[in-house]
Amino acid sequence: MLRTDTVRNILSWYEGETPGLKSNLSRLLMHGRLAGTGRVVILPVDQGFEHGPARSFAPNPIAYDPHYLYELAIDSGVSGYAAPLGLLEQGADTFAGEVPLILKLNSGNSLVGGSDQALTGKVEDAMRLGCVGVGFTIYPGSDHSYDMMEELREISLEAKSRGLMTVVWSYPRGGKVSKEGETGFDIIAYAAHMAALMGATIIKVKLPTAHLDLDAAKPIYEKHAIPREAAADRVRHIMQAAFAGKRIVVFSGGAAKNTDELLDEVRAIREGGGNGSIIGRNSFQRSKEEAIALLNQVMDVYA
């Protein structure tokens, strides 16, 4: 398929990036059922690190097999598949070139707690596995947030010099951010903006609630009457914070939920101008048939 005008326009936003990076971004945007639309749905499977194997895969035991996860990404027609090093290695040869890959380079685990992540892969690994980009989590607000940002700075420079995209999971926590504020309207907008300022090619954030968390921000939101009651309005503001919508922003599918709840969120993302969803547990914890049906419903909304 020839690159569409929509994708050409998106690529034009990324001034200063190399032809190699734009080629890889184009590969992602031109793959799967949403090819050429400017929307993306990505399958992420990094939850084994964060939550442990049983909490991640016991609801659908075939998902313990890394080949199954590749097959789910390919058969469903999603835009890309993101995972840590071991999962991508176990299938990279068998499924080479069949789905764009994103190597998640840092991970935390629930045995340690806290708000930091270890580097668990390298840019060289992403090149070796034929990935289109690397993924990296930052925790704005945490005691380790500055260290994580500095790590991201170095990884981003190395990745971009080799034509790889950077996909930044920007998840606020700690510091002045309350627990409710982790998905607060003002906090998520701040997190998206910080990721854009760090040079993220694609920004991943959680879908915000209407809650305002920072005392300094509340009067500004109220004075300027920034709409926040409807989910689509909240998404619209997140896109505004991401360089006036000139950065691709995808929203986390979050904890397991029923189909109607998930599709309502997807409609709000679409109506607010978001670029798509990154849906993990809500897909791979279902049977393959159910997961493909759900992902097709999600992509139908975006299409």
Side-chain angles (χ1 to χ4, degrees), residues 168-181:
V168 177
W169 278 240
S170 193
Y171 286 174
R173 60 185 64 181
K176 295 183 179 180
V177 181
S178 72
K179 187 63 180 175
E180 187 178 10

Side-chain angles (χ1 to χ4, degrees), residues 164-229:
L164 297 179
M165 302 183 300
T166 54
V167 183
V168 177
W169 278 240
S170 193
Y171 286 174
R173 60 185 64 181
K176 295 183 179 180
V177 181
S178 72
K179 187 63 180 175
E180 187 178 10
E182 291 179 5
T183 53
F185 186 40
D186 57 323
I187 301 296
I188 296 296
Y190 203 165
H193 189 65
M194 275 194 268
L197 292 172
M198 289 290 298
T201 314
I202 297 176
I203 299 162
K204 179 191 176 191
V205 291
K206 295 179 180 178
L207 191 65
T209 66
H211 171 73
L212 293 176
D213 203 57
L214 285 181
D215 290 338
K218 289 176 184 177
I220 303 299
Y221 277 82
E222 291 164 358
K223 177 182 178 180
H224 295 283
I226 299 172
R228 69 178 193 272
E229 293 308 313

Side-chain angles (χ1 to χ4, degrees), residues 268-286:
I269 294 166
R270 179 199 64 197
E271 291 165 14
N275 296 98
S277 297
I278 184 162
I279 301 175
R281 283 171 287 176
N282 282 292
S283 58
F284 67 72
Q285 288 187 344
R286 289 170 160 85

